Amino acid sequence: VKVRFSEETDADLIWNKITQILTSFDYNEDEKQKLFVIFQELVSNAVKYGGSGNLMVRINPAWCVIRVQDNGKGFDVDSYFEVKREEKVQKFLDEKYIDYPRTKSFGIGLSLVKQYSSKFLYNKAGNIFISVVKKTSRFTEYYSKYEEE
């Protein structure tokens, strides 16, 4: 799936198509939920900070790759990850709580993306993000006829 988006409402339509593909490859609900968080966070950040962007999603039975590039000025991603999630939440509570209905952001979204990704990559400019998620292995139980009971 390759698309250009400029509004978060575009994301809903795109996600519906991605869900159909994930289902056809037998991704379970937990995997879909994690991919949704990654997808939603990367696309909403691109719209919020870059105005619009390009999305590329590749899915197969073993993994899913989500790549988002926005048109924003970017930011220092390495510095972002140096601050622990707890500190970001506390900073939000200390500084932004009064404006919460307007901001609705804890600033921890990329931390979740990184946590849910098997591999998370980004460029130095901070406007291209790639998340790779490996599908959970599913092994069927197998007992050899020669195995002792």
Side-chain angles (χ1 to χ4, degrees):
V1 176
K2 277 186 172 181
V3 294
R4 180 153 180 69
F5 58 87
S6 59
E7 297 180 15
E8 285 190 56
T9 54
D10 296 341
D12 295 334
L13 299 172
I14 299 164
W15 179 250
N16 288 336
K17 179 65 176 168
I18 292 170
T19 301
Q20 292 171 0
I21 298 168
L22 291 171
T23 300
S24 73
F25 282 120
D26 197 30
Y27 279 72
N28 65 38
E29 289 306 312
D30 185 51
E31 292 164 334
K32 289 179 191 175
Q33 183 62 34
K34 286 180 180 177
L35 286 166
F36 174 75
V37 169
I38 292 167
F39 169 83
Q40 188 66 33
E41 186 60 34
L42 293 179
V43 170
S44 67
N45 280 354
V47 170
K48 188 177 190 180
Y49 300 111
S52 65
N54 295 305
L55 169 74
M56 185 275 302
V57 180
R58 292 190 180 171
I59 304 167
N60 73 28
W63 48 262
C64 177
V65 176
I66 299 173
R67 180 185 189 275
V68 173
Q69 179 175 1
D70 66 49
N71 299 320
K73 64 179 182 173
F75 68 104
D76 185 355
V77 183
D78 291 329
S79 294
Y80 170 87
F81 284 120
E82 287 175 4
V83 180
K84 295 192 182 321
R85 185 185 305 182
E86 295 80 20
E87 292 175 35
K88 290 178 185 170
V89 171
Q90 189 58 52
K91 182 178 179 183
F92 170 82
L93 293 174
D94 292 344
E95 297 175 8
K96 298 181 183 177
Y97 185 72
I98 294 168
D99 295 329
Y100 179 69
R102 186 175 55 82
T103 61
K104 294 185 181 172
S105 174
F106 279 107
I108 61 172
L110 281 182
S111 297
L112 285 174
V113 171
K114 185 176 181 182
Q115 176 184 334
Y116 288 165
S117 300
S118 303
K119 185 160 212 109
F120 182 63
L121 308 165
Y122 50 88
N123 68 340
K124 188 79 172 154
N127 67 342
I128 298 176
F129 299 91
I130 302 171
S131 172
V132 179
V133 178
K134 290 183 182 177
K135 190 171 183 302
T136 305
S137 299
R138 292 189 177 84
F139 296 102
T140 55
E141 291 188 22
Y142 161 74
Y143 295 101
S144 166
K145 65 179 181 177
Y146 303 105
E147 223 172 330
E148 292 184 55
E149 294 184 32

